[in-house]
Amino acid sequence: RCANCGRVDTLWCSRCQKALAAAPLLSHLGTAPPLRAVAATAFHEGIVQTAVHALKYEGAVMLANPLAERLERCLRALNWTVDLIAPVPLHASRARARGYNQAQRLAECLAAQCSIPISTTALTRERDTRAQVGLSGTERRANVQGAFRGEPDALAGRVLLLVDDVSTTGATLGAAAQAALDAGATAVYGLTVTAAR
């Protein structure tokens, strides 16, 4: 069934795809050190939230491309200059359990749409952190502190665009950005499909 309207025989129907494409862009959210800036295409609600949930938890991987189209439109409007795109990495055990990294699917589609190089190895998740759902902002930051490692050969001297599906407090993006900066990235931007209000 369609993850949004329940229509039979599809994980995401054409009518809901049109509604997703028509959902207005949120764009710039502001600065969030150590990131130079952070943006999202929508608040985490409505049809965009449903699409992200379907991609992340219901195996609707075909949604990576239309959601990446939203990311590409947002990136174009922001006019950020970046050298490299990298997804926020999952720990290997979680990636095996889910079967894929939804952030990587989004980043790959975005890179193809805007012709910016992508690296899926520039950042790695060194520690398997507990799920962030239900944690306070302070708990989230402590949970992901030191969880990521940057690869200097991929990041040194480059401006990085970090891509993820959802930003709640920005703790995960911040920890990943810090690892990239520690590995020599000159600046890091963060772009997500949705963000909590």
Side-chain angles (χ1 to χ4, degrees), residues 47-64:
I47 194 165
V48 186
Q49 176 187 6
T50 304
V52 167
H53 189 275
L55 169 64
K56 189 170 185 174
Y57 299 116
E58 298 175 28
V61 293
M62 81 289 290
L63 281 168

Side-chain angles (χ1 to χ4, degrees), residues 173-191:
L173 283 174
Q178 189 59 61
L181 292 167
D182 291 346
T186 56
V188 182
Y189 292 94
L191 183 60

Side-chain angles (χ1 to χ4, degrees), residues 60-83:
V61 293
M62 81 289 290
L63 281 168
N65 196 58
L67 290 173
E69 287 172 6
R70 293 182 60 80
L71 292 170
E72 191 274 333
R73 285 168 43 212
C74 190
L75 184 59
R76 199 170 354 111
L78 291 162
N79 205 28
W80 293 341
T81 301
V82 299
D83 303 314

Side-chain angles (χ1 to χ4, degrees), residues 96-145:
R96 275 193 304 274
R98 184 171 293 156
Y100 58 93
N101 176 358
Q102 72 282 355
Q104 181 174 330
R105 295 289 178 103
L106 291 166
E108 288 169 345
C109 292
L110 175 61
Q113 290 170 16
C114 59
S115 300
I116 296 173
I118 181 173
S119 174
T120 59
T121 58
L123 287 168
T124 54
R125 197 167 198 138
E126 298 293 291
R127 186 164 47 81
D128 190 11
T129 56
R130 64 188 272 215
Q132 299 275 68
V133 176
L135 300 181
S136 70
T138 302
E139 291 169 330
R140 284 170 180 258
R141 284 186 290 279
N143 188 41
V144 293
Q145 186 175 8

Side-chain angles (χ1 to χ4, degrees), residues 156-170:
R158 293 184 139 179
V159 177
L160 179 67
L161 176 66
L162 269 177
V163 173
D164 207 355
D165 55 344
V166 182
S167 175
T168 304
T169 63

